[in-house]
């Protein structure tokens, strides 16, 4: 490769955003290599190394295509058309529907920026959708990032933050396996472990990190909330939590009225100010009153935790019993002693106690929780329980803990301000979930399908998809087929014609990230990475007529007269606006292709920063981390996380196994199974089973099996995994391509291996709409006549 050119870049294939060097010769991408000096550039995964196979894949869509045969036909009859013709027709449809029926009757579907190349363009795509006026984007956020990024704000006021794994005293991984999903984070965890950090893993699967853990809690799928409450009970009941942090930076001491469930306020008291207890000064906002733990009667030398008080106050309506927020949480947690946690979750009492001891003794704790706890019908309250547990350790926002915010101020150009409130309020599902993703215009696929087929609460006439494969990435596969067939118009922009794209009227060819420019304002694998800003150039020319998603929405904006809302169709202007507060420009970044480290750092110990002479606090209604959430209460939800029998989803008759799913390092969601080098790593869909569960069903390693639920069935090969939690099985979502000769998912049945086709959506999280992709019930049986592979 004497004539090869090496170009500094970063991979966008997954959340890791690994820094790399693109090797190019004669205008052709030959491969990518690590970039060790980059914050995320120490190593590369197989998906990244397969970049040339993706770029030059023979099945790439390279020209715009139009359907010429009816939907449902075996051959859609794709015919090439020009870009001008395609964009003009799409813009005309968008314009006509908005003028005649309203922009809400067009839905959009956008693939995840956490696991696809669209991360380069996501702000532009969202800005276009909001400028157009649609409040309906299928984003999958309710089953992906909502809980760590948004539900966490019910507690912290911020997202989960960036864990300072490299400098922590204890790493906690909860339903998150970075070894398969986030290589840069895995590197940071290794740094922490080498420095002596202890490791707690809460996961049903014996992952690589679970096997290395100081304490592995082998939880049953769907029972994580009970585990969080159980750990919190052990800390609170013994007083082993950060009392100073709780008293100062949480609303633990605020008094809650037993009659209304609302906080006690100055305005509630009798006119003569009669009061029977000692209070601290009223909270800065809302006249809230709190128990003053420093002047109360508790004995700091005893085991009785501070901030736990209850008593009677005289209000305008008479005597009212009040409790502190912490007392109410302590009561909820006390319902889960180790023996009860064991009954619910399968975790041995001694293991839970050991984990609590590690947490209590750690000088700092950094944690991460993702899909493993976010894909359930209790996802929001599970996140609340974990977040409150973590807040009581005092590590949130401190060195060695989880730190919210970035290293520099960047402006969000995704256009949240462009969608009028009158349009936002029309979001599908927002009436049922008033605090959920619909507030941001992110809706569920099932609500869109209902609007298409039942025209309720209004019809959805058109769908424009940016990279999503709804038939596979979401459940309700058969309903999705009907809805896609019933649309008046459907546009799909992608690299390939996937299962969903086959229902489109027009397909647009999209450039990969290697063929377009991409801006990254911080790499959140570490606190140091947050300082790194990089503008990746296109390392090769686009294949055929492919265009970036940014160029596609700019073209549509021009046709719709939205140029003024899209920075006059100048991407550099928009990026400069995003960078201005950080003192950077696009031109400066182009002169530094390996990126620039901005001055400053993520705000560790931000609680001490003063604003107008007072501590800034947290962006919550009480300006404190919220153990008790009045906001949730006023919307009809539990202000304190708790569980009832329905939440725990008792086994369904005939379906004794808990069905979850797990990711493979070879694939990301429904992508890559047509990449030869990756397919060799994982040639067929698998379902992990414990040897005991397999033996009880006469299933051997490699047997083809059928996974049955009351919503459907799916095929996979059995993979026997010693140490897997008994009664739990794990499939792989995302399979839709054809299998080899003799497989049960051949050319006639390419969706037979689609795990999401067997998941029901009749039960969902009340706040977010999340569904039980990680905790359904199933039965598994060997497919008769299929030989074992041994």
């Amino acid at each position: 490769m004497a004539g090869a050119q090496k170009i500094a870049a970063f991979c966008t294939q997954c959340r890791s955003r690994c820094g790399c060097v693109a090797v190019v010769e004669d205008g052709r991408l030959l491969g990518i290599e690590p970039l060790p000096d980059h914050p995320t550039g120490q190593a590369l995964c197989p998906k990244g190394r397969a970049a040339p196979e993706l770029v030059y894949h023979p099945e790439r869509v390279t020209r715009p295509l139009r359907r010429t045969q009816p939907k449902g036909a075996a051959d859609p009859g794709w015919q090439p058309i020009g870009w001008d013709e395609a964009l003009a027709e799409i813009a005309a449809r968008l314009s006509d529907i908005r003028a005649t029926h309203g922009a809400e009757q067009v839905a959009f579907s956008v693939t995840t920026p956490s696991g696809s190349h669209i991360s380069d363009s996501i702000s532009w795509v969202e800005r276009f959708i909001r400028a157009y006026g649609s409040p309906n984007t299928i984003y999958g956020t309710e089953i992906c990032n909502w809980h760590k990024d948004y539900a966490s704000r019910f507690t912290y006021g911020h997202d989960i933050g960036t864990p300072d794994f490299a400098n922590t005293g204890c790493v906690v991984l909860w339903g998150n396996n970075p070894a398969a999903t986030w290589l840069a984070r895995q590197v940071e965890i290794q740094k922490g472990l080498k420095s002596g950090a202890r490791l707690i893993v809460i996961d049903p699967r014996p992952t690589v990190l679970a096997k290395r853990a100081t304490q592995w809690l082998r939880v049953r799928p769907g029972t994580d909330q009970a585990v969080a409450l159980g750990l919190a009970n052990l800390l609170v009941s013994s007083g082993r939590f950060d009392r100073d942090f709780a008293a100062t930076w949480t609303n633990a001491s605020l008094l809650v009225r037993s009659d209304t469930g609302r906080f006690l306020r100055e305005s509630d008291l009798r006119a003569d100010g009669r009061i029977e207890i000692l209070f601290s000064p009223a909270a800065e906002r809302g006249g809230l009153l709190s128990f003053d733990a420093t002047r109360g009667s508790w004995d700091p030398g005893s085991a009785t935790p501070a901030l736990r008080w209850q008593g009677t106050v005289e209000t305008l309506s008479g005597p009212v019993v009040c409790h502190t927020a912490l007392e109410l949480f302590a009561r909820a947690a006390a319902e889960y002693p180790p023996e009860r946690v064991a009954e619910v979750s399968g975790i041995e009492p001694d293991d839970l106690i050991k984990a609590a001891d590690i947490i209590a003794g750690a000088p700092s704790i950094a944690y991460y929780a993702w899909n493993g706890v976010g894909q359930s019908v209790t996802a929001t309250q599970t996140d609340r329980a974990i977040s409150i547990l973590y807040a009581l350790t005092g590590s949130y926002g401190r060195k060695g803990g989880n730190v919210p915010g970035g290293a520099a101020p960047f402006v969000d150009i995704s256009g949240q301000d462009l969608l009028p409130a009158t349009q936002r309020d029309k979001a599908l599902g927002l009436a049922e979930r008033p605090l959920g993703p619909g507030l941001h215009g992110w809706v569920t696929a099932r609500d869109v399908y209902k609007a298409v087929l039942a025209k309720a609460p209004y019809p959805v006439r058109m769908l424009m998809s940016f990279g999503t494969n709804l038939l596979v990435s979401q459940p309700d596969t058969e309903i999705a087929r009907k809805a896609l067939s019933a649309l008046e118009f459907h546009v799909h922009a992608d690299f390939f014609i996937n299962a969903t794209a086959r229902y489109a009227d027009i397909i647009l060819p999209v450039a990969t990230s290697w063929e377009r420019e991409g801006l990254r304002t911080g790499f959140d694998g570490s606190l140091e990475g947050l300082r790194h800003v990089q503008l990746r150039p296109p390392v090769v020319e686009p294949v055929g007529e492919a265009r970036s998603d940014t160029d596609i929405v700019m073209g549509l904006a021009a046709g719709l007269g939205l140029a003024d809302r899209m920075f006059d169709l100048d991407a550099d202007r928009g990026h400069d606006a995003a960078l201005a507060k950080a003192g950077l420009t696009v031109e400066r970044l182009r002169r530094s292709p390996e990126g620039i480290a901005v001055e400053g750092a993520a705000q560790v110990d931000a609680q001490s920063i003063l604003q107008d002479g007072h501590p800034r606090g947290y962006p919550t209604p009480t300006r404190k981390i919220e153990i008790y959430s009045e906001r949730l209460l006023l919307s009809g939800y539990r202000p304190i996380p708790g569980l009832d029998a329905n939440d725990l989803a008792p086994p369904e008759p005939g379906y004794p196994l808990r069905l979850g799913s797990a990711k493979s390092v070879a694939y990301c969601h429904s992508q890559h199974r047509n990449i030869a080098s990756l397919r060799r790593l994982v040639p067929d869909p698998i379902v992990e089973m414990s040897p005991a569960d397999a033996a009880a069903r006469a299933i051997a390693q490699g047997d083809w099996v059928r996974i049955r639920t009351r919503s459907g069935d799916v095929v996979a090969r059995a993979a026997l995994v010693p140490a897997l939690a008994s009664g739990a099985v794990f499939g792989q979502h995302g399979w839709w391509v054809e299998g080899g000769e003799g497989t049960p998912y051949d050319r006639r049945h390419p969706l037979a291996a689609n795990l999401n086709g067997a998941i029901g959506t009749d039960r969902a999280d009340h706040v977010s709409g999340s569904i039980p992709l990680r905790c359904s019930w199933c039965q598994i049986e060997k497919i008769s006549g299929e030989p074992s592979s041994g």
Side-chain angles (χ1 to χ4, degrees):
M1 295 193 295
Q5 180 184 10
K6 295 193 174 184
I7 304 169
F10 57 87
C11 179
T12 63
Q13 191 56 75
C14 77
R15 193 71 171 83
S16 194
R17 329 279 196 213
C18 293
C20 63
V21 172
V23 182
V24 178
E25 187 171 34
D26 295 329
R28 189 175 179 87
L29 179 65
L30 299 183
I32 64 172
E33 300 173 351
L35 183 58
D37 292 336
H38 193 282
T40 60
Q42 286 72 40
L44 294 171
C45 78
K47 295 185 292 291
R49 293 186 181 279
E53 291 181 79
L54 172 66
V55 173
Y56 304 113
H57 199 286
E59 295 174 0
R60 279 279 302 273
V61 180
T62 58
R63 297 181 64 184
L65 303 172
R66 176 188 281 126
R67 170 186 296 280
T68 61
Q69 296 298 319
K71 293 183 181 180
D75 180 5
W78 302 117
Q79 290 293 324
I81 57 174
W83 269 106
D84 290 346
E85 182 181 0
L87 293 176
E89 182 174 349
I90 297 166
R93 292 277 192 159
L94 288 168
S95 180
D96 289 347
I97 293 175
R98 184 175 61 180
T100 306
H101 306 288
E104 67 275 8
Q105 296 197 17
V106 176
F108 293 82
S109 183
V110 181
T111 190
T112 171
S114 293
S116 74
H117 296 231
I118 207 170
S119 59
D120 290 336
S121 300
I122 186 62
S123 292
W124 291 105
V125 172
E126 288 197 304
R127 187 177 185 87
F128 168 74
I129 294 169
R130 289 164 178 150
Y132 172 73
S134 175
N136 295 319
T137 299
I138 303 170
Y139 197 30
T141 189
E142 77 281 357
I143 52 174
C144 183
N145 69 308
W146 174 261
H147 305 92
K148 70 180 182 65
D149 291 343
Y150 289 89
S152 59
R153 299 179 193 215
F154 295 129
T155 306
Y156 306 131
H158 294 285
D159 62 16
I160 194 173
T162 300
D164 188 13
F165 282 139
N167 299 298
T168 193
C170 179
V171 174
V172 177
L173 297 176
W174 206 317
N176 178 227
N177 181 21
T181 60
W182 198 331
L183 190 56
R185 278 276 170 85
Q186 171 79 347
V187 171
E188 292 299 302
I189 289 170
Q190 297 301 332
K191 293 178 184 176
L193 297 181
K194 287 180 181 178
S195 297
R198 308 187 82 182
L199 173 63
I200 297 174
V201 174
I202 301 106
D203 200 307
R205 303 174 63 238
T207 63
V208 171
L209 287 168
K211 294 175 181 177
R212 292 188 58 189
T214 313
Q215 187 61 56
W216 172 32
L217 300 182
R218 195 170 59 169
V219 60
R220 289 173 183 150
T223 64
D224 301 88
Q225 188 177 340
V227 179
L229 291 171
L231 289 169
N233 174 55
L234 290 170
L235 298 184
V236 173
S237 63
S238 62
R240 294 181 299 166
F241 62 96
D242 191 324
R243 300 186 188 193
D244 290 340
F245 185 89
T248 306
W249 295 113
T250 81
N251 69 2
S253 62
L254 291 187
L255 294 176
V256 181
R257 297 177 54 145
S258 62
D259 56 344
T260 64
R262 300 196 64 177
F263 291 123
L264 182 69
R265 289 168 165 82
E266 287 180 324
S267 59
D268 295 333
L269 299 180
R270 285 167 47 111
D272 61 7
R274 181 180 173 190
I275 193 165
E276 299 180 0
I277 59 172
L278 294 172
F279 292 99
S280 63
E284 290 180 23
R285 295 182 52 151
L288 301 176
L289 296 172
S290 62
F291 171 56
D292 186 347
T294 64
R295 295 162 61 194
S297 60
W298 61 275
D299 177 4
S302 74
T304 304
L307 314 180
R308 291 180 62 175
W309 175 93
Q310 66 183 64
T312 301
V313 300
E314 192 77 14
T315 72
L316 292 174
S317 58
V320 173
V321 175
C322 293
H323 308 271
T324 65
L326 183 59
E327 175 67 23
L328 294 176
F329 177 71
R331 286 186 180 186
E335 295 181 16
Y336 290 89
E339 294 74 23
R340 171 66 172 148
V341 174
E343 177 186 342
V344 172
S345 72
I347 294 171
E348 292 296 328
D350 285 349
D351 290 340
L352 190 78
I353 293 169
K354 289 175 184 176
D357 290 344
I358 293 170
I359 292 171
S364 59
I365 301 167
Y367 86 108
Y368 213 71
W370 203 345
N371 291 161
V373 298
Q375 295 179 350
S376 78
V377 298
T378 64
T380 298
Q381 294 292 9
T382 295
D383 179 86
R384 282 271 293 146
I386 295 171
S387 297
I388 294 170
L389 165 67
Y390 185 67
L392 292 174
T393 70
S395 286
Y396 188 74
R398 292 180 171 172
K399 182 178 176 62
N402 284 43
V403 180
F410 297 104
V411 175
D412 179 9
I413 62 169
S414 66
Q416 288 277 3
D417 58 322
L418 298 180
L419 189 66
T422 52
Q423 283 299 104
R424 184 204 63 191
D425 292 345
K426 296 176 184 177
L428 296 170
L430 184 59
E432 295 83 2
R433 299 180 294 276
L435 297 182
L439 283 173
H440 304 271
W442 301 323
V443 302
T444 68
R446 61 189 181 279
D447 282 336
V448 172
Y449 301 156
K450 176 183 175 182
V452 173
L453 297 172
K455 302 182 175 14
Y458 50 76
V460 165
R461 301 171 185 275
M462 175 178 169
L463 175 68
M464 182 161 188
S465 297
F466 291 88
T468 45
N469 190 359
L470 293 175
L471 286 176
V472 179
S473 62
Q474 294 273 355
D476 295 324
T477 304
E478 291 309 310
I479 296 174
R481 290 182 199 268
K482 294 176 182 176
L484 294 173
S485 298
L487 286 165
E488 294 179 12
F489 197 63
H490 179 191
V491 180
H492 191 97
D494 214 327
F495 306 150
F496 304 102
I497 301 176
N498 62 31
T500 303
R502 290 182 59 83
Y503 289 83
D505 296 285
I506 289 180
I507 294 178
L508 300 177
V510 177
T512 69
S513 61
W514 309 107
E515 304 160 286
R516 63 190 188 200
E517 196 170 65
L519 174 66
R520 191 92 226 137
T521 54
F523 292 75
D524 61 350
S526 65
L527 296 185
E528 181 63 23
L530 289 176
R531 301 178 57 232
H532 198 80
V533 183
Q534 190 173 0
L535 186 72
R536 189 202 59 249
V539 300
V540 293
E541 292 294 318
V543 172
E545 298 177 18
R547 295 185 182 182
S548 72
D549 301 279
T550 303
D551 287 340
I552 290 172
V553 296
M554 292 295 199
L556 292 173
L560 289 164
L562 299 174
D564 60 328
R565 299 188 180 188
M566 299 288 288
F567 295 97
D568 293 328
L569 309 182
D570 186 340
D572 282 1
R573 278 193 57 200
H575 288 156
D576 279 342
L579 295 166
K581 287 187 177 181
L584 297 173
T585 64
V586 168
E587 186 54 40
R588 183 181 171 193
L589 289 173
R590 286 200 178 105
R591 294 195 301 267
S592 303
E594 292 189 5
I596 293 174
V598 297
E599 302 208 357
Q603 294 297 321
V604 176
D605 291 327
Q607 301 91 344
S608 62
I609 295 176
L610 297 183
Q611 182 173 308
D612 299 326
H614 299 284
R616 185 173 62 185
Y618 294 85
T620 63
T622 61
R623 306 300 293 172
K624 297 173 182 287
I625 291 177
E626 300 213 323
I627 290 174
Y628 189 96
S629 174
E630 195 176 65
R631 185 185 180 198
L632 286 171
L633 173 79
L634 295 178
S635 292
Y637 305 115
R638 291 181 178 128
I640 291 285
L643 287 164
D644 58 33
N646 291 332
D647 291 331
L648 293 173
E652 299 172 3
Y655 303 101
L657 300 172
R658 296 171 186 260
L659 173 62
S661 63
K663 295 178 181 176
S664 163
V665 71
Y667 305 128
C668 198
H669 303 300
S670 65
Q671 305 166 87
H672 306 121
R673 288 163 181 82
N674 60 346
I675 304 296
S677 65
L678 300 178
R679 191 63 177 272
R680 286 193 292 271
L681 295 176
V682 184
D684 291 308
I686 64 170
V687 58
E688 298 176 356
M689 306 179 66
S690 73
D693 288 334
R697 292 160 178 80
I699 294 171
Q701 178 78 15
D703 281 348
W704 281 107
V705 299
R706 192 172 307 281
I707 307 167
R708 290 191 298 104
T709 71
R710 62 184 177 88
S711 299
D713 59 77
V714 61
V715 300
R717 279 193 188 274
L720 275 54
V721 180
L724 182 68
S726 178
V729 297
F730 288 84
Q732 293 178 335
H733 89 284
W735 284 87
W736 63 274
V737 294
E738 299 166 7
E741 183 178 352
T743 66
Y745 62 110
D746 58 18
R747 185 180 300 274
R748 296 165 299 165
H749 307 288
L751 289 176
N754 171 26
L755 185 65
N756 282 350
I759 305 297
T761 61
D762 53 317
R763 297 179 68 247
D765 180 73
H766 298 303
V767 180
S768 67
S770 181
I771 46 183
L773 295 173
R774 301 288 177 120
C775 49
S776 296
W777 292 97
C778 76
Q779 178 60 284
I780 295 184
E781 56 199 16
K782 181 177 178 179
I783 297 177
S784 59
E786 290 290 340
S788 170
S789 64

